Amino acid sequence: MKTMKWFGLVLTAMLLALALCLPAGAAAPIKIAVLGPMSFTQGEGHWNGATMAAEEINKAGGIKVGNQMRPIELIKVDTNEFLSIPDATNAVELAVSRHKADFLVGGFRTEAVLVMQDIAMDAKKVFIGCGAAHPALCTKVTKDYDRYKYWFRLTPINSKYLGKVDFILLGTVAHIMKKTLGIKKIKVAVVAEKAAWADPIVNISKKLLPAKMGMEVVGVWRPSPVAKDCTAELAAIQRAGAHIVFTTFSSSVGLTFAKQMGELKVPAAAVGINVESQKSGFWPATGGKGAYTETINTYARVEITPKTIPFYDKYVKLYKEAPNYTAGTYDALYIIKNAVERVGTIDSDKVVASLEKTDYVDTAGRVVFDKSHDVTWGPGYVTAIGTQWQDGKIMCVWPYHWQKVFYKGTVPYKLAPWVVDYWKNKK
Amino acid sequence: MLLDIIIDGLIKGSVYALLAIGFSLVLGVARIINIAHTALYMTAAYLIYMGTKMLGLPPLIAMPAAIVLTVILGLLIYNFFIKPIQEHEAAVLIATIAVAMMIQEVFLMSFGGHYLGVNPLVEGYATILGVKVTYQHLLALGLALVILVSVRLFLLRTRLGLAIRSTAQDREVANLMGMNVTRVAMGTMGVSVGLAAITGAIVVPLVTVEPTMWMHPLIMMLAIVVLGGLGSIEGSFVGAYILGFAESLVVFLLPMGSFLKDSVALSIMILVLLIRPDGLFGVSFEEER
């Protein structure tokens, strides 16, 4: 009889405990689809950033929706967008219709994201873009707000501002070269991969450099984005006597170009956009020959905001590589969390209204969306940074007191010693 | 500028020649259109990356090991995918495309789409008459020329070389004369894959290792063998240098259009074919075969 009593007590306690746990355990998860080319670095960045944020948020109890704490469930969606845009379309359809995703984050190639965007808008799902930079993605919001209001773009800064930073970096290096080496007129070789996104930069360079920046364009080279050998281009650039090589690369050619430029010790400074040089793998892949390459970037181990270094260090610890800009999905999840918690619902229309009021300091700067739902660029907001490979490390070299902006940990830009030697001896 | 073009064209042409000659050899002897040829070149490159960067082996051990492993893989592919359908040339073509795609997917799954690199065997550069050329490029040029001469000597001076040439000339007669044509085909496949692997080893420090690195050389190699004459080794040799120089000319003379170098090379191929449909050496070597 005594045993039965004990058994009854234990059973009651278990039932009670279960009942207490039920509300939290039973709360349906908020499903967030992470869209990206998962076999490639960009997709890995998307997934890693989102996973990091989801784990942190879930550990802290989840997202508070009204009175309920709901965990995040991530859905990994391989868009395979490098190889096939139809694959990307199908993947997003799958995420929306079969997996019933509540929110979408990610995307990389503008051509693919334009299609993904339409599917998300049809389904009235909030989609935070973390990869594609073309402004057309956001101008749709201003042109047809009712349809495209669910779209927001977080990272990187759009290509118009990327262009702006690009020319600021070029001007800064030109100034340093003039001052250090006493060069009167800087000669620039414009080297851009043959891709649509690079065309405006080439066209502006040809006009802007001589007319507004007092530089001479010694030639324009347009290698294939997947060129495996750039020695011919480099020989021609040297013959043209360029002081600076203004690069516009998003593909593998950036790695080949930087590697061969270092091997041949071409006496010119490489500055501009080189997406490959934003990655940790750039150094081993070039065998260290990519030293002194400068590029626009989003992350480096520098205090852009108080969140940057903890995020950077944790990311490196977990994934053994530096985060690239697609890892901005980390911030996207927190931005969704805050927007949902402000309105206490995951209803898309209400979340959109809440997202429009976002004023959030993330790992890359202060995020305030403009009317086109694009991230605001400039001092006090998100600026992007300029990084240079120095002694095997990605170092932040810009902004260096530009518009009174200085991020703690930023170091001065360095000219390659062979560049200094060549132009000093030339005089 | 002329010197730039000559040096650059020579280096490019030699590397293309190595690939194209291997492909031509097996096409001429066994009528195998091995689309997986450059995928095997990529395999050697990845194996060298694994050996040197992941296992920390010295390059001089990793490179021969990679070549041997690639040849073994090539022979396995021959036995399991090609030999059973060897008589049907179109089927072989399709099967080897499938094999090449499989190899690409294996590397994509194993290494992701990351761009990887291998350190050069020799660092630094030489300045030849004012033109900077890396030692690794010079090494590649030298090795390519040595291998090309060795292949020539192998075909002329060895028993297997004699068998390969006989089979290439007339497979049926060679068979009737008591030669084991299938074994000769297998030997040729081994030599052919060996050449692809050696090219991979020579080129790996100069290029970016990634899962689609086999596609561009494949296009160039096909253009070269068509230009030179299907199955003609000499034709492949000459075709390789023509297209190598064509690429260099485009970059130096048309900097804004340097992305067009492949298209120009392919246009030259089409032009030659319009004038001479059998390719440069097609007729004479067809008769020899």
Side-chain angles (χ1 to χ4, degrees), chain A residues 379-398:
Chain A
Y381 296 95
V382 175
T383 58
I385 56 172
T387 56
Q388 187 187 29
W389 278 94
Q390 295 181 358
D391 304 320
K393 288 179 187 158
I394 305 175
M395 303 304 288
C396 177
V397 294
W398 184 91

Side-chain angles (χ1 to χ4, degrees), chain A residues 230-262:
Chain A
C230 298
T231 46
E233 283 88 345
L234 286 164
I237 287 165
Q238 278 192 87
R239 287 222 179 278
H243 299 107
I244 293 177
V245 181
F246 189 39
T247 60
T248 308
F249 298 135
S250 71
S251 200
S252 65
V253 66
L255 201 144
T256 310
F257 190 88
K259 183 180 174 184
Q260 293 185 329
M261 195 169 164

Side-chain angles (χ1 to χ4, degrees), chain A residues 311-358:
Chain A
F311 163 74
Y312 191 94
D313 287 349
K314 191 176 173 185
Y315 192 97
V316 171
K317 194 180 162 194
L318 285 173
Y319 305 114
K320 314 289 176 230
E321 63 175 8
N324 63 36
Y325 69 86
T326 54
T329 46
Y330 175 85
D331 294 319
L333 259 63
Y334 275 102
I335 287 170
I336 289 172
K337 175 185 184 288
N338 294 341
V340 168
E341 289 184 346
R342 277 197 296 270
V343 287
T345 173
I346 61 163
D347 175 79
S348 292
D349 289 291
K350 287 178 182 161
V351 174
V352 166
S354 178
L355 278 170
E356 285 171 345
K357 291 182 189 119
T358 297

Side-chain angles (χ1 to χ4, degrees), chain A residues 35 42 46 81 105-110 113 127-134 137 151-158 162 324-329:
Chain A
L35 317 168
Q42 290 81 358
H46 284 129
E81 58 203 81
V105 295
F108 179 68
R109 277 185 68 196
T110 297
V113 177
F127 183 3
I128 301 191
C130 301
H134 204 289
L137 288 159
W151 165 262
F152 290 82
R153 219 185 55 76
L154 181 65
T155 184
I157 53 173
N158 76 38
L162 278 174
N324 63 36
Y325 69 86
T326 54
T329 46

Side-chain angles (χ1 to χ4, degrees), chain A residues 398-409:
Chain A
W398 184 91
Y400 197 84
H401 302 295
W402 166 83
Q403 304 266 322
K404 296 181 184 166
V405 181
F406 181 83
Y407 301 134
K408 201 174 153 194

